Amino acid sequence: FTFPLIGADVVIQTPPSERPPNILQPMEKMTVDEKKAVVFNTTDTFTFGFWTRYLDFVRWELTDMPLGLGGPFRSYIGEQPIHLTVYRLANAEELAAMEADGFPPPEEPRCESQKYVFLRIQVTNSGSDGEPSVTEAPNVVDWDEVRDSERDRS
């Protein structure tokens, strides 16, 4: 399941000279036009807010689903964690460079070789107290390497 970041309820861009918003405080839902106006870059901090009445990570269950469905996540996914990934796909120029370096063109539109991963998170409920835990997964983009690569191309 994937969706664009514009699907977030809130997308806040904070310049390096300012403090990001306190995520424990209320945030106002944004319009689509406000979210489209955000320009992603590698210097600002971005805060995303997603609200749903259907997922309760504290109780680790689905709630208020249509047709009366709901219950513990375990009933639907077993003991596996939930993986959340933020990435962008390689653009045409990057794909051409990969091919020039001997990498075959991707066979599927979202294959791993096309993804520049910004963040991978695993959410589990494996704690003895029943509380969910969040860990950052490996294989996240090295931003210094990306900046150096972009500088070399210029």
Side-chain angles (χ1 to χ4, degrees):
F1 170 71
T2 64
F3 63 92
L5 288 176
I6 200 161
D9 294 296
V10 172
V11 180
I12 300 173
Q13 182 175 2
T14 307
S17 60
E18 297 177 20
R19 279 185 81 88
N22 181 342
I23 61 172
L24 300 177
Q25 298 298 315
M27 293 182 211
E28 294 294 320
K29 190 170 181 174
M30 299 172 69
T31 67
V32 171
D33 288 337
E34 289 172 319
K35 292 183 278 185
K36 284 183 177 179
V38 174
V39 178
F40 293 100
N41 60 60
T42 59
T43 57
D44 294 339
T45 299
F46 295 90
T47 304
F48 303 95
F50 298 89
W51 294 285
T52 177
R53 67 181 202 188
Y54 302 116
L55 302 172
D56 185 333
F57 287 110
V58 174
R59 294 190 325 226
W60 203 247
E61 63 185 31
L62 296 173
T63 61
D64 299 326
M65 296 293 288
L67 304 174
L69 298 174
F73 286 157
R74 286 185 180 95
S75 299
Y76 298 92
I77 64 170
E79 296 296 323
Q80 68 184 339
I82 296 172
H83 296 266
L84 305 171
T85 305
V86 177
Y87 66 90
R88 76 168 175 82
L89 294 175
N91 61 35
E93 182 182 311
E94 292 163 334
L95 289 172
M98 287 180 202
E99 203 167 337
D101 287 341
F103 293 100
E107 295 175 15
E108 298 178 21
R110 297 200 185 281
C111 67
E112 290 300 312
S113 66
Q114 277 191 317
K115 294 178 184 177
Y116 285 88
V117 176
F118 303 111
L119 178 68
R120 291 183 197 268
I121 294 177
Q122 283 185 165
V123 181
T124 63
N125 190 8
S126 58
S128 60
D129 57 4
E131 292 294 315
S133 63
V134 177
T135 57
E136 185 174 332
N139 301 327
V140 177
V141 168
D142 178 343
W143 284 109
D144 292 327
E145 189 178 301
V146 170
R147 275 192 291 273
D148 292 344
S149 172
E150 287 175 357
R151 220 177 285 134
D152 292 345
R153 281 192 223 151
S154 306

